[in-house]
Amino acid sequence: MSAFDFTHAIVREPAQSVTDGLRDGDHAGPSHDAVKREHGAYVATLRELGLEVEVLPALEAYPDSIFVEDPALVFSEAAILLRPGAPTRAGEVAEIAPELETRFERVLTLGDGFVDGGDVLTTPDEVLIGLSARTDAAGAKSLIAALAQLGKQGRVVKTPPGVLHFKTGCGLIDEGTVAIAAALDDAEMFGDLKRMVLPAGEEAAANILRVRDTVLIGEGFPETREMIERHGVTTLALPISEIAKIDAGLSCMSLRWRSVAS
Ligand code: CIR
């Protein structure tokens, strides 16, 4: 069994207000219909890969609530409610809390500070927490304490300036290999993981998502796909051009876990 053998996922239907999602810059937002199409393809793919996917209802008050990865962190045995660093996203935690309470025996909460789930990379050995404009030192410290209660080890790293989330710039290809944008190429940061630097010009491909035997990747990154396939892992490209307009990628649209019963 591998760290990617998830059995369950939750996602959230995009709200009409997704068109107002947060973004770096003043470019136009996505269209709701197009986001819905990308989201639909994503959900269908998770199901085809064998996951039981539950779709939570849209939350009009929270344009970015489709990105369920940010207000919580989940493992087989427990969930941790986080605290997103963007004020407009703070209320998403109270919305997802009851959903997690019905699905997990233990739901821990963050003490002080802010952490976005997009800044958290769970590797087979540890949980990396990238300090960013959304995740602060107090939040990282609180998260390390919560992880310790679950017998897991957290470690603080840095999300490079100008990169929204740590996982905007990296993603696991397999249990021992991480794909990274050049800006994150730092041996100490990734410990024992082998680093595969993305081809120049394809940095936006970094937010890959390994699910079971397949690495999901955004469409339009042929060299990265080839690099991953050459490494021996099957890839599947999904459309992400609309969610990319609000700085999102593949990992942000779901919370995934392997149920303890399986
Ligand atoms: C935000 O700025 O919060 C959203 N527009 C994008 C969140 C993407 N989430 C992620 O990478 N985990």
Side-chain angles (χ1 to χ4, degrees), residues 65-88:
S65 56
I66 173 182
F67 306 122
V68 287
E69 176 179 72
D70 292 318
L73 183 62
V74 299
F75 302 97
S76 287
E77 62 280 27
I80 303 176
L81 292 168
L82 303 175
R83 189 171 301 111
T88 57

Side-chain angles (χ1 to χ4, degrees), residues 21-23 64 67 69-70 86 89 116-119 134 164-165 167-168 207 243 246-249 251-253:
L22 293 172
R23 75 210 74 151
D64 288 296
F67 306 122
E69 176 179 72
D70 292 318
R89 302 200 59 187
D116 272 21
D119 280 316
R134 300 282 180 89
L164 174 61
H165 286 134
K167 281 186 293 190
T168 309
N207 183 245
I243 60 162
I246 44 174
D247 304 341
S251 72
C252 2
M253 289 194 288

Side-chain angles (χ1 to χ4, degrees), residues 71-73 79-83 93-94 96-98 100-101 107-111:
L73 183 62
I80 303 176
L81 292 168
L82 303 175
R83 189 171 301 111
V93 182
I96 206 147
L100 298 179
E101 273 149 18
V107 179
L108 307 183
T109 48
L110 198 71

